[in-house]
Structure formats: structure tokens, C-alpha cells
Amino acid sequence: MRALYEVPAPAKLNLFLHVVGKRPDGYHLLQSIFALIDWADTLHFERRDDGALHRHDSGDALPPDDLCLRAARALQSQSGCGLGADIHIEKRLPAGAGMGGGSSDAASTLLALNRLWGLNWPLSKLLPLGLSLGADVPFFLGGTHAFVEGIGDVLHPISLPEQCFAVVKPQQSIATKDIFSSPHLARSNSVAIVAGFPAHNGSELSGETQQGFDPGFGRNDLQPAAEALSPEVGQALQILQSKFGNSRMTGSGSTVFARVDGKEGANCQSMTFAEGLPSGWVARMCRSLEVHPLRGWADN
């Protein structure tokens, strides 16, 4: 195999995000639902026989040592592979958005190079390598929506009904470290129990099945800190609240989203709501994915 083209790296939304504790080393303990959506970067890989790794950016230049290159180097080093790659990135996901764009790119890089280099590593071998790159990377390797705990590294696969979301990224980005060091950081009084979200019937998480989805559960405990750091976050939340009757921030970036229900949700792809948004803002209608498009690229 000489090349792999049109490799997707989809984003995620945090349908809720609760801060439930803090480890002795300072890392916050979280609970969240990560949902895959159809807004994605696209990557292209061409094999090199000289072992060199080069990234080529289609659009705005990315940082010189991004997660894609770090992922490629890590896989190359851990596997002892002498092959290299030219990695082309069509970056569509905005930076600093809280949608896991860099982590998703890294996961798709690991999955693609595992195939391109003929390593045939199982998923169980890729997951710890992904975790060494970032807490969100194992989620994108796992291939399904997930109930997430720990620092984002404990994953329980779940299924979610198809949904439509209006997603807005204001021009301003927020550094994760600024949010977690903010005096406005909220903390949930109690941990979420599985029966609270997304099931109503008291069933436990089991495999990838869930029933009784409650889309309005919980909140994002990072949102008050983000609103204090960026008035644009509060403005975006108000816009979506007025249009769709609900709004919430995702992750630790500045992106906010709203569920779109009823007839509007059924016509998700044909809807537009970007008119009148401030200059420099990015808006898109997104559908949730059933599974990650690269699921099955590494055997369990």
C-alpha cells in the first residue's frame, strides 16, 4: 500500500461535562458524554521509504510540531518501523474549539499509518500510545460515542440516537489551562450515576447499548469560567438559546451548541443559521454519527 486518501477525523461534542473531583497531581476528574459528529478534518497519507515524516497543510499553517506528527513519530518509534509518510491535512475544524480536533487528527493518523506501514497493531496496543499523546485520543480510537470518566481516559462505549446540532465557534479561543485555573470554575455537587444519563430506567452501562436518552441532562461545569474569560461565549449561548431554546458549551474551548429538534432537526443538512453572526465566527449544522468512520481499522 502506497497511500491512503480522504481519511476523516471527526469532531466530538460534550453533551455534558461535570467536574467531580481533583487528583493529588492537580488533574481534574470529569464525567462526560462524548458524541461523534460529522464535522471533520480530512487527512491524506503517502508512504515514504526513507523514514522521513513531513506534514503539509492545506489552508492556514498549523503549529510546527502538532499532534499528527507527534503521533506518527510515536508509532514509528514504538514499532521500530523504518517507513515514513507525507501527511496532508485539510483543516476544517477550528482551533481552540473544545471539539477535540487535534486529538482526532492524531487518532486518525495512528489508525492510517498502522495500515499504511503494514503494522497491523490491534486497538489494544494503539490505545496506550494514544493516551500518551492526550486524554481525548483514546476516545477517537475507540470508534463509538462514550460515557467518559477519570481525566477523560476511562471510556464506556454507548449508543446514542441520531441528533442534529447547531454549532457555533466564536472568533475568540480560550486556553484550557485558563479555564481550569479560573476562580469561576464550577464543580458538580455529586457524581452522575448511569441511571441519570442517558437512561431513565436504572439500567447500567452494558456494551454499547443504552435506552431512554435524556438530551437535557447535566451541564458543562467549565462554562461559567469560559463566560468570565470571553464575553463572546455568553453571546453565542444567548443566540442559540433564542433560536433553538437550548444552548451549552462543549469541552474546554469556546464552541457552543444547541440541539435542533422537530422538523428543523429532520432537515438538518439543509438548514442555515449563520446569517447575522459576528464577523470571524464559524457556524455549522451537524449530525451525530452512528460510529466513527474508521471504526474497525484496528482489530480489538
Side-chain angles (χ1 to χ4, degrees), residues 137-157:
V137 178
F139 162 71
F140 291 105
L141 290 170
T144 68
H145 310 296
F147 178 81
V148 181
E149 298 182 280
I151 60 172
D153 58 329
V154 181
L155 304 172
H156 307 278

Side-chain angles (χ1 to χ4, degrees), residues 94-231:
M99 296 192 292
S103 295
S104 185
D105 292 344
S108 290
T109 296
L110 291 175
L111 291 166
L113 293 182
N114 186 41
R115 277 194 165 194
L116 189 64
W117 292 343
L119 302 177
N120 299 315
W121 276 22
L123 185 60
S124 59
K125 200 170 180 179
L126 289 175
L127 285 171
L129 188 60
L131 181 60
S132 71
L133 297 165
D136 286 351
V137 178
F139 162 71
F140 291 105
L141 290 170
T144 68
H145 310 296
F147 178 81
V148 181
E149 298 182 280
I151 60 172
D153 58 329
V154 181
L155 304 172
H156 307 278
I158 62 172
S159 61
L160 295 172
E162 184 179 1
Q163 298 172 87
C164 177
F165 299 101
V167 184
V168 174
K169 165 63 170 68
Q171 185 172 29
Q172 185 176 2
S173 297
I174 307 174
T176 298
K177 62 179 180 63
D178 293 338
I179 288 183
F180 279 102
S181 61
S182 169
H184 300 278
L185 179 67
R187 176 171 171 174
S188 294
N189 292 326
S190 61
V191 299
I193 58 174
V194 173
F197 183 95
H200 295 290
N201 59 6
S203 63
E204 296 294 326
L205 284 168
S206 175
E208 296 176 14
T209 60
Q210 276 291 355
Q211 296 177 346
F213 174 68
D214 179 4
F217 177 84
R219 62 180 187 172
N220 187 332
D221 284 337
L222 310 185
Q223 189 171 305
E227 291 185 77
L229 290 165
S230 172

Side-chain angles (χ1 to χ4, degrees), residues 22-67:
K22 195 174 184 179
R23 299 194 319 192
D25 60 6
Y27 282 95
H28 287 80
L29 298 171
L30 311 173
Q31 287 187 327
S32 185
I33 290 286
F34 285 6
L36 293 159
I37 59 173
D38 62 0
W39 196 354
D41 294 334
T42 302
L43 289 76
H44 313 280
F45 300 86
E46 296 169 346
R47 198 182 80 185
R48 296 179 63 104
D49 297 326
D50 61 1
L53 296 168
H54 296 291
R55 196 197 66 225
H56 310 273
D57 303 332
S58 301
D60 296 337
L62 297 174
D65 191 33
D66 74 324
L67 274 175

